[in-house]
Amino acid sequence: MGEYEDILHRLEGEARHFPPPPRHPGGRERLNIQKSSVCSRAYFVVVMAFFHLYIINIIALLLYVHYNTGSGEQDVPLEKSAGAPRPMPAEPQTPSSATLSPELSFRLPRLEGIRVGHVQRVSLVPDRTHNMRTLSLKPLLFEIPGFLSVEESSVVMQLAQLKGLTHSSLLTAPDSQEEQLTQDELFSLLDLNQDGLLQREEILSLSHSTDGSWLSSYNLRKIHTGFETSPSGVLSLQEFKRVSGGVLQYGSAGQGLDGHAEVRQRSTHTRLYLGQGTHHLLKSIRNRVTRLTRLPSSLVDLSEPMEVVRYEQGGYSHAHHDSSLTSHHSSCAHTHLAANTSASTQVACRYLTVLLHLNSADGGGETSFPVADNRTYEEEVLGDLSQQYCDKGNLKVKPVAGTALLWYNHLSDGNGWVGELDEFSLHGDCLVTRGFKWTGSVWVNIDPDQQRQERYQRLVSWHPDGQSKKPEHGDLHQDL
């Protein structure tokens, strides 16, 4: 036993000299990590539970507010709420009110041409975009291929035929004069008292009468310029010849129903209303025009119907402006009733034109802009160009089925409204040499007088009983 005890004591002594067994590296840390992970997961679960409760409370609060405070007149249409009080306008319902409705005060958006040849992408129908190419800057003119498909163009032509086409009236001079008048005949026609002198009062009385409706604004400006340069304030036959310079040839630019220049040969036409109750394609055309021009829909909806014209072989139209100048002697045809003036002459006020080519003419029939982007443009050449614009025109657009042209007939006034007539918007239709040509013209009517336009908008938008009423259309706004 003593021997074993000695050996045991010796081994214990030797064991004291050995270092302690190394601890597993990171063992304590691994235990800490496991404890930290358990705590992190628990903390995350608690936070997420409170977060979900918070979101649920927010949603419940929003639903409570919506169903308790949002169930009044603001969310229920007036025509569906029997007990809701009728709205009253914020101002007296008088067309002559000086304070205009805020919602009717707006600026007219205007497309930018950038430069000739510039291409922009526009969205006119769902799931499709169109290319819009700038053709000129003076006037601001764009071309939109594929505005209508070939099938849609065919439907428009069929609708026009169903409506019934009437022959375009070729304007004739009073008392069955020849279409082309000499300067002597014109002077005799304008000299009402036949005293051999042309006076300013005679021109004014003739231009405001039915017999003188064929005088174009350009011809009137030429005559008035002669009065201003004449020392005596009247024009003799020789002075009249010097002022006219061969420009005043009847038929070069006549004034049509609305006072705008419009002389056609060998053509028929009709008008198709684009509003409610018409063919869905016509309403789609109206919507596309609204999206293209970016104008308020109320302006497009209340404009005149689309005019569809069919030119036969040999048909053409003289160069003219779609819109007219306004003065204290005239008022816009579409706002005449709201103008509350004694102006006896009504003229067409067309801010812009969208011309639709409904077929591809076999020969000729180009749409010509004689003075487009002409920096050396002078009024004196308009007389010749009105007769020979297809040969001298700076820009000619060949008709292609479905292609649309958009141009502005007026400049901007610098304040976002209609300005002066753009003289560069002079245009016409060249002679159709083979086949026939179909076009559709969509005009947007805007009065250069913004307050008058707003009174007109209010007049057709409000009803005495407080309900919004739809505009009533006259003879030009007939359905199919």
Side-chain angles (χ1 to χ4, degrees):
M1 288 293 293
E3 181 179 357
Y4 288 110
E5 291 179 355
D6 293 338
I7 295 174
L8 180 60
H9 288 297
R10 187 172 64 249
L11 291 176
E12 289 177 354
E14 293 177 354
R16 293 191 186 98
H17 296 285
F18 285 101
R23 294 182 179 181
H24 190 278
R28 191 181 189 95
E29 289 75 11
R30 183 166 60 249
L31 183 60
N32 292 336
I33 291 177
Q34 291 176 353
K35 290 182 179 179
S36 177
S37 299
V38 171
C39 294
S40 298
R41 284 196 296 269
Y43 179 79
F44 177 77
V45 170
V46 172
V47 170
M48 291 303 298
F50 278 103
F51 179 77
H52 282 78
L53 289 175
Y54 176 80
I55 295 298
I56 293 175
N57 289 334
I58 292 296
I59 294 175
L61 179 62
L62 292 176
L63 292 175
Y64 174 83
V65 172
H66 174 73
Y67 285 108
N68 284 273
T69 64
S71 58
E73 293 81 6
Q74 295 180 354
D75 291 328
V76 179
L78 294 176
E79 59 268 19
K80 294 183 179 180
S81 178
R86 297 190 181 276
M88 295 297 293
E91 59 184 6
Q93 299 182 23
T94 57
S96 58
S97 175
T99 305
L100 299 176
S101 178
E103 62 270 18
L104 294 179
S105 299
F106 43 71
R107 298 169 61 91
L108 299 176
R110 192 177 180 93
L111 302 178
E112 295 184 2
I114 310 298
R115 65 182 181 278
V116 175
H118 179 71
V119 177
Q120 306 177 51
R121 303 284 288 179
V122 294
S123 178
L124 305 178
V125 294
D127 303 327
R128 184 183 176 188
T129 58
H130 295 74
N131 289 329
M132 181 175 67
R133 185 165 65 96
T134 304
L135 297 184
S136 75
L137 299 178
K138 299 167 60 178
L140 194 53
L141 170 65
F142 304 93
E143 180 184 42
I144 307 94
F147 183 91
L148 294 176
S149 66
V150 176
E151 293 76 14
E152 290 174 332
S153 301
S154 177
V155 170
V156 174
M157 291 186 288
Q158 294 176 12
L159 292 174
Q161 290 175 324
L162 289 174
K163 176 71 179 293
L165 297 169
T166 58
H167 287 279
S168 301
S169 57
L170 176 63
L171 300 179
T172 56
D175 303 328
S176 302
Q177 295 290 327
E178 295 294 330
E179 180 181 348
Q180 300 294 337
L181 301 181
T182 65
Q183 290 176 298
D184 293 341
E185 291 172 330
L186 279 171
F187 184 84
S188 177
L189 183 65
L190 297 174
D191 186 13
L192 298 181
N193 57 9
Q194 297 297 310
D195 61 354
L197 295 175
L198 197 59
Q199 302 177 11
R200 189 188 300 268
E201 291 76 12
E202 293 175 320
I203 299 299
L204 291 176
S205 62
L206 184 60
S207 62
H208 296 160
S209 66
T210 304
D211 292 338
S213 61
W214 50 272
L215 284 173
S216 68
S217 58
Y218 168 71
N219 293 340
L220 290 175
R221 288 199 302 272
K222 292 294 295 182
I223 297 176
H224 286 302
T225 301
F227 285 129
E228 295 173 357
T229 58
S230 175
S232 60
V234 297
L235 294 178
S236 64
L237 177 59
Q238 296 302 323
E239 292 173 330
F240 175 78
K241 289 182 178 182
R242 175 182 56 82
V243 171
S244 64
V247 171
L248 294 174
Q249 292 182 337
Y250 184 76
S252 62
Q255 299 240 344
L257 174 64
D258 296 327
H260 61 284
E262 183 179 39
V263 178
R264 300 197 188 100
Q265 286 274 16
R266 296 178 62 84
S267 67
T268 54
H269 73 281
T270 190
R271 288 177 174 256
L272 300 178
Y273 175 52
L274 304 180
Q276 297 297 326
T278 60
H279 194 277
H280 64 86
L281 175 58
L282 299 180
K283 290 186 288 187
S284 176
I285 292 175
R286 178 198 62 188
N287 295 335
R288 296 180 200 184
V289 170
T290 303
R291 293 174 65 91
L292 174 64
T293 61
R294 303 172 188 173
L295 291 171
S297 59
S298 59
L299 292 177
V300 181
D301 295 346
L302 296 175
S303 294
E304 60 189 289
M306 176 175 66
E307 183 181 49
V308 180
V309 181
R310 182 185 188 273
Y311 295 93
E312 302 175 5
Q313 183 171 336
Y316 65 93
S317 71
H318 290 299
H320 60 277
H321 295 97
D322 280 352
S323 191
S324 304
L325 295 170
T326 57
S327 64
H328 61 280
H329 295 294
S330 61
S331 62
C332 295
H334 73 287
T335 59
H336 181 68
L337 295 179
N340 194 23
T341 64
S342 58
S344 58
T345 304
Q346 300 181 37
V347 298
C349 298
R350 295 163 172 167
Y351 178 58
L352 59 80
T353 299
V354 178
L355 178 67
L356 309 178
H357 287 135
L358 302 178
N359 76 314
S360 302
D362 296 331
E366 298 89 352
T367 300
S368 175
F369 294 82
V371 294
D373 285 333
N374 184 2
R375 296 183 179 180
T376 60
Y377 159 75
E378 297 179 359
E379 284 192 350
E380 283 70 16
V381 303
L382 282 183
D384 293 334
L385 284 177
S386 294
Q387 295 295 327
Q388 305 175 16
Y389 55 87
C390 285
D391 295 332
K392 297 183 179 181
N394 292 339
L395 176 62
K396 292 191 296 184
V397 183
K398 184 176 179 60
V400 177
T403 298
L405 299 178
L406 163 65
W407 69 85
Y408 291 89
N409 298 307
H410 287 262
L411 303 172
S412 174
D413 67 347
N415 298 315
W417 200 250
V418 181
E420 295 293 329
L421 180 69
D422 190 350
E423 298 288 354
F424 290 91
S425 64
L426 183 77
H427 66 281
D429 298 276
C430 296
L431 185 75
V432 178
T433 58
R434 189 170 64 255
F436 53 88
K437 170 187 175 181
W438 286 82
T439 64
S441 297
V442 181
W443 296 293
V444 178
N445 303 115
I446 303 179
D447 196 315
D449 187 330
Q450 185 173 5
Q451 293 186 352
R452 186 182 301 169
Q453 178 70 34
E454 291 177 340
R455 284 197 299 269
Y456 168 71
Q457 296 285 121
R458 186 186 307 112
L459 180 66
V460 299
S461 300
W462 287 98
H463 196 267
D465 63 1
Q467 292 182 342
S468 176
K469 74 169 185 177
K470 298 181 180 179
E472 297 179 359
H473 305 283
D475 296 336
L476 298 182
H477 291 65
Q478 293 178 353
D479 196 355
L480 288 174

